[in-house]
Amino acid sequence: MKRLLSLLLAAMMILALASCSNGGVSQGDVDTKSPTPATTTPGTQETPGQSEEPAGPVYDLSHLGAEVLQNMTQEEILSQITPYEPKGQIIQGSTTQLNGDFVSGWTNSATNAEIKELINGYSTLAFTKEGMYIFDPIVVKEWEGIENPDGSKTYRFVIYDNLTYNDGTKITAKDYVGSVLIYASDEFKQVDNAQSAAGTDFVGYKAYNSGESDVFAGVRLLGEYEFSVTIDPENLPYFHDIVMAAVSPIPLHVLLPGVEVKDDGNGAYFGEGFTVEALQKAFLGTNSDGYRFNPKVTCGPYKFVSYDPESSQAVIEANPLYLGAYDGAKAKIKTLVYKLTSKSTEFDELATGKIDIGGEQSGGESINTGLDLVEKGGFSYAHYPRHGYGKIAFACNIGPTQFVEVRQAIAWMLDRDEFARQYSQGYAIVVHGYYGQAQWEYAANKDALETELVHYTYNKDKAIEVLEKGGWTLDANGNPYSGTGLRHKRLDDGTLMPLEIQWMNTPDNPVSDLLNAMLVPAVEEIGMKIVGTTVQFAELLDNYYQDVEEPYVNMFNLGTGFNPIQYPEYYYNKDLATYGGSYNTNFIADDELDRLAHEMARTEPGDRETFSKKWLEFQKRWNYLLPDIPLYSDDYHVFFSDRLQNYTPSSLWGFENAILRAWVNE
């Protein structure tokens, strides 16, 4: 049974597509100047979709469109691809620092997320250039969706028998089932505080994840190349239910050699040998040589070669055994190098050939520097609206920022319009909620967002009003606040909490510089103090995810890029023990926000109007609670050497997708 499921509907086929993958975070964005954006240059693509039939060699079949490809066989697609031997090297400059995590379960930056996307592959689900999710015709030979009498929904898959890892080992259904069993297990959580939402939507998850049962009832091993997953009826309806059926393989022969995946008819389970100790050995190894840090056996278009923590540089190479993406695309560039690049030297490195691709640029000064480089010749660029935003992020579970009045007061002490003007000078808009300008929901609710959400801007009287409402009315001795020094609040245990915010930022960051100039001195006028600490981005991430022994930082400035489909029900889930850090990075546990996020997700597939209304109600609550202060959503520009051909990134079609369709012109 094959049919097209355009999960994102027409909704996701608007304006621009691709992004900072996997909901990844990036360190602060960039500078200033006045806008003179070009609209047609080599490499620019604002609305990816079907293209004309290529006149020359055929390196992918994306021009046919998702609907046609979904109904083609693997053989039909791959037989039309012109063979191409990968060649050349591209150096990707990134101001976002890599850390050593290259598998799911632990914190990572947006750059790490890109590498994970490129070295892993063969998910049952593929995201297409038009902005649709389809079952991958290179991977899935046969599938069906079954509505069960109890309200659950089963997706059954038969995968092709010629998929392999880069070491030549065949991929079977056990590798798909085993990946869910590992990541959803109670044992995995005990491996260096690993976190994963794998399998959360399936029947039997709670019993399996808690360790109450060794059998995962909603995950079935049905044959050597056949398996199924069943979505729990309590998670249905779900607006994007096809996404729940996305399962990727994991190399069990590397991670758990000798451990069997079994199914006696009641669900899948691991045989003897599946222990916390076995997982620790597999993922952590000794001296940081485990799979978490060194995933040499994978099945994506590229394979992991090396990572140098001293230089924060990673190298991946084309995987010759990879069959192709959903449209048959394979790596045509042999080697990709990820190089840590300073924002202050990025364009110099691009101009001198030390890097071939710069990062996503925001801010007028940075963008215009890049446009000047293009004008001189030898360089191209792409630009597109951001699927995300730059922000001040709060930890809502520690210190003064656990109180909504403090978060609101900080927002009332910053002129966000002026901030965005100075930073972007016309290359960004100010947003007031959890959205970016590339989202279809934003386009559908644009007027309501402007009229029904609070537009926080500089207002000292408002800031004082909300602080007094929140009980910040005392001095250090517990007397009424006189107007000088720090405000204090008496907590339930009788102690006094000073209104001092611990702010962590990164060096060479114009956003941090602007906050230092506009916000830090301003809040002193209302009895608040912001104490800044500048660290490298990897250290900031550890604190942002509270992956430290004693979390103490309340405030961060950084950027976020959304997934093609963003999951508020995960990112704002009040179950912090499960979602805190891995998804809910604000550590906010609000009953109403949690309810609204879940209700939005439980919209019937295809009912875009109802989903849009629920999305707006969620934004109103988010706008009141302010887990972040959204600063701007930009018009991103990416500049690159014109050695790189056919490179067309966009808002939802990020580097990991665009680079697979590009090649080097030597």
Side-chain angles (χ1 to χ4, degrees):
M1 174 181 179
K2 284 202 167 190
R3 61 187 175 88
L4 175 70
L5 285 184
S6 63
L7 182 57
L8 300 188
L9 312 168
M12 296 298 282
M13 289 194 282
I14 60 159
L15 269 175
L17 305 169
S19 115
C20 214
S21 65
N22 289 331
V25 294
S26 57
Q27 65 177 326
D29 302 316
V30 219
D31 292 348
T32 53
K33 236 187 187 176
S34 57
T36 53
T39 55
T40 55
T41 62
T44 300
Q45 181 176 327
E46 295 185 311
T47 23
Q50 295 185 20
S51 57
E52 295 181 3
E53 180 108 22
V58 177
Y59 298 132
D60 69 71
L61 301 184
S62 60
H63 60 278
L64 296 180
E67 187 167 3
V68 173
L69 288 167
Q70 173 68 78
N71 290 285
M72 293 175 68
T73 67
Q74 180 195 92
E75 183 180 5
E76 288 169 341
I77 293 171
L78 298 183
S79 65
Q80 298 184 46
I81 303 299
T82 304
Y84 189 97
E85 185 69 25
K87 64 181 181 180
Q89 173 179 282
I90 286 294
I91 302 176
Q92 159 86 316
S94 175
T95 57
T96 300
Q97 189 175 19
L98 283 164
N99 64 17
D101 292 316
F102 296 101
V103 299
S104 299
W106 294 273
T107 60
N108 63 261
S109 69
T111 308
N112 283 78
E114 284 182 357
I115 293 175
K116 287 196 296 186
E117 286 288 315
L118 286 166
I119 65 175
N120 292 291
Y122 295 147
S123 169
T124 53
L125 207 64
F127 184 67
T128 74
K129 203 167 186 178
E130 303 96 321
M132 296 179 180
Y133 271 115
I134 62 173
F135 289 123
D136 192 328
I138 301 298
V139 176
V140 179
K141 183 177 182 180
E142 179 185 335
W143 71 270
E144 64 178 328
I146 305 164
E147 304 281 354
N148 300 313
D150 64 355
S152 64
K153 186 171 185 177
T154 298
Y155 282 99
R156 184 186 66 85
F157 300 101
V158 177
I159 62 168
Y160 282 99
D161 64 5
N162 60 343
L163 308 176
T164 71
Y165 293 104
N166 63 319
D167 67 352
T169 303
K170 271 200 168 189
I171 297 172
T172 70
K174 289 183 178 181
D175 295 289
Y176 286 85
V177 171
S179 70
V180 182
L181 292 180
I182 287 177
Y183 285 121
S185 69
D186 180 57
E187 288 84 352
F188 184 66
K189 292 183 292 184
Q190 300 175 57
V191 181
D192 198 20
N193 298 312
Q195 292 182 312
S196 172
T200 53
D201 302 308
F202 301 153
V203 169
Y205 171 78
K206 292 177 182 177
Y208 182 74
N209 180 254
S210 66
E212 177 186 336
S213 174
D214 294 332
V215 177
F216 200 151
V219 182
R220 297 294 315 281
L221 179 64
L222 302 175
E224 188 173 7
Y225 297 101
E226 183 177 355
F227 67 97
S228 70
V229 294
T230 299
I231 302 170
D232 195 304
E234 72 176 26
N235 297 320
L236 295 170
Y238 189 75
F239 191 61
H240 301 130
D241 70 5
I242 186 177
V243 177
M244 295 179 178
V247 184
S248 298
I250 197 167
L252 294 180
H253 68 289
V254 173
L255 294 170
L256 296 172
V259 178
E260 285 294 319
V261 177
K262 300 183 177 183
D263 190 325
D264 300 329
N266 297 313
Y269 65 97
F270 279 121
E272 186 177 349
F274 181 68
T275 63
V276 174
E277 292 72 24
L279 291 178
Q280 288 174 331
K281 179 181 178 181
F283 283 98
L284 306 183
T286 57
N287 299 319
S288 297
D289 61 353
Y291 194 76
R292 169 183 174 183
F293 315 106
N294 193 27
K296 287 296 182 72
V297 179
T298 54
C299 57
Y302 282 84
K303 57 183 179 179
F304 184 84
V305 175
S306 65
Y307 165 66
D308 180 4
E310 294 298 320
S311 62
S312 190
Q313 180 169 298
V315 179
I316 58 178
E317 286 186 354
N319 172 13
L321 299 184
Y322 180 69
L323 293 181
Y326 80 96
D327 57 355
K330 302 179 185 180
K332 286 166 281 298
I333 302 169
K334 183 176 181 180
T335 305
L336 300 180
V337 179
Y338 286 80
K339 180 181 182 295
L340 181 63
T341 306
S342 167
K343 186 57 69 176
S344 62
T345 63
E346 185 173 12
F347 283 108
D348 289 337
E349 293 191 54
L350 192 59
T352 58
K354 292 181 180 178
I355 62 174
D356 298 295
I357 307 176
E360 290 178 315
Q361 303 294 334
S362 64
E365 184 174 336
S366 179
I367 290 170
N368 282 294
T369 299
L371 293 175
D372 289 343
L373 193 63
V374 171
E375 190 173 343
K376 292 177 182 178
F379 297 91
S380 300
Y381 78 97
H383 74 100
Y384 41 85
R386 184 175 187 169
H387 193 52
Y389 57 85
K391 64 182 182 178
I392 294 172
F394 295 117
C396 300
N397 63 332
I398 54 175
T401 54
Q402 68 186 277
F403 300 104
V404 64
E405 294 86 2
V406 172
R407 304 193 296 268
Q408 290 177 348
I410 295 172
W412 284 121
M413 293 304 292
L414 180 64
D415 186 338
R416 294 186 304 128
D417 295 284
E418 177 62 17
F419 187 99
R421 188 195 68 78
Q422 288 194 34
Y423 175 70
S424 76
Q425 302 238 345
Y427 287 105
I429 64 169
V430 177
V431 296
H432 312 303
Y434 183 65
Y435 59 89
Q437 61 171 318
Q439 288 179 271
W440 72 267
E441 297 96 331
Y442 164 72
N445 291 281
K446 189 174 181 179
D447 292 341
L449 291 168
E450 289 298 322
T451 59
E452 298 183 36
L453 269 61
V454 176
H455 187 157
Y456 294 94
T457 190
Y458 182 83
N459 189 322
K460 182 178 176 180
D461 291 339
K462 276 281 192 183
I464 292 173
E465 178 185 329
V466 295
L467 286 177
E468 290 181 345
K469 178 183 176 183
W472 297 91
T473 58
L474 305 174
D475 64 16
N477 297 314
N479 299 317
Y481 182 67
S482 64
T484 60
L486 285 184
R487 291 177 179 269
H488 288 68
K489 174 186 175 73
R490 192 175 300 281
L491 304 180
D492 292 342
D493 63 4
T495 60
L496 290 172
M497 176 180 283
L499 190 50
E500 182 173 292
I501 311 298
Q502 298 296 325
W503 166 43
M504 189 166 279
N505 55 71
T506 52
D508 190 26
N509 189 330
V511 174
S512 303
D513 295 341
L514 266 178
L515 291 175
N516 258 320
M518 295 179 66
L519 182 63
V520 173
V523 299
E524 293 179 0
E525 300 176 14
I526 59 172
M528 180 187 296
K529 183 178 182 181
I530 295 178
V531 180
T533 302
T534 301
V535 299
Q536 294 301 316
F537 191 54
E539 184 177 346
L540 182 144
L541 280 184
D542 285 341
N543 283 271
Y544 178 66
Y545 294 118
Q546 296 190 8
D547 192 16
V548 292
E549 190 171 336
E550 293 185 13
Y552 72 96
V553 183
N554 313 108
M555 184 175 111
F556 308 84
N557 63 280
L558 66 169
T560 188
F562 292 158
N563 284 295
I565 295 173
Q566 196 68 351
Y567 301 95
E569 71 270 29
Y570 293 155
Y571 291 104
Y572 296 101
N573 195 299
K574 65 182 181 181
D575 179 6
L576 298 184
T578 301
Y579 295 94
S582 57
Y583 286 88
N584 188 340
T585 53
N586 296 108
F587 294 87
I588 188 168
D590 180 76
D591 290 342
E592 182 70 1
L593 192 68
D594 180 275
R595 181 186 67 80
L596 290 169
H598 278 84
E599 285 188 1
M600 176 170 50
R602 298 300 178 266
T603 306
E604 289 284 351
D607 189 353
R608 184 183 175 196
E609 182 179 355
T610 299
F611 182 87
S612 181
K613 289 178 180 178
K614 291 179 179 180
W615 181 87
L616 180 59
E617 291 305 308
F618 169 84
Q619 296 296 338
K620 291 177 184 178
R621 181 63 179 172
W622 192 99
N623 173 258
Y624 167 76
L625 292 172
L626 280 189
D628 297 335
I629 298 176
L631 298 173
Y632 47 79
S633 185
D634 330 66
D635 181 20
Y636 266 156
H637 286 60
V638 178
F639 298 92
F640 50 91
S641 167
D642 60 11
R643 292 176 56 242
L644 186 61
Q645 299 290 301
N646 199 47
Y647 181 63
T648 57
S650 55
S651 295
L652 292 173
W653 194 249
F655 174 83
E656 68 279 6
N657 290 309
I659 201 68
L660 198 58
R661 279 84 183 170
W663 58 85
V664 175
N665 185 15
E666 298 288 3

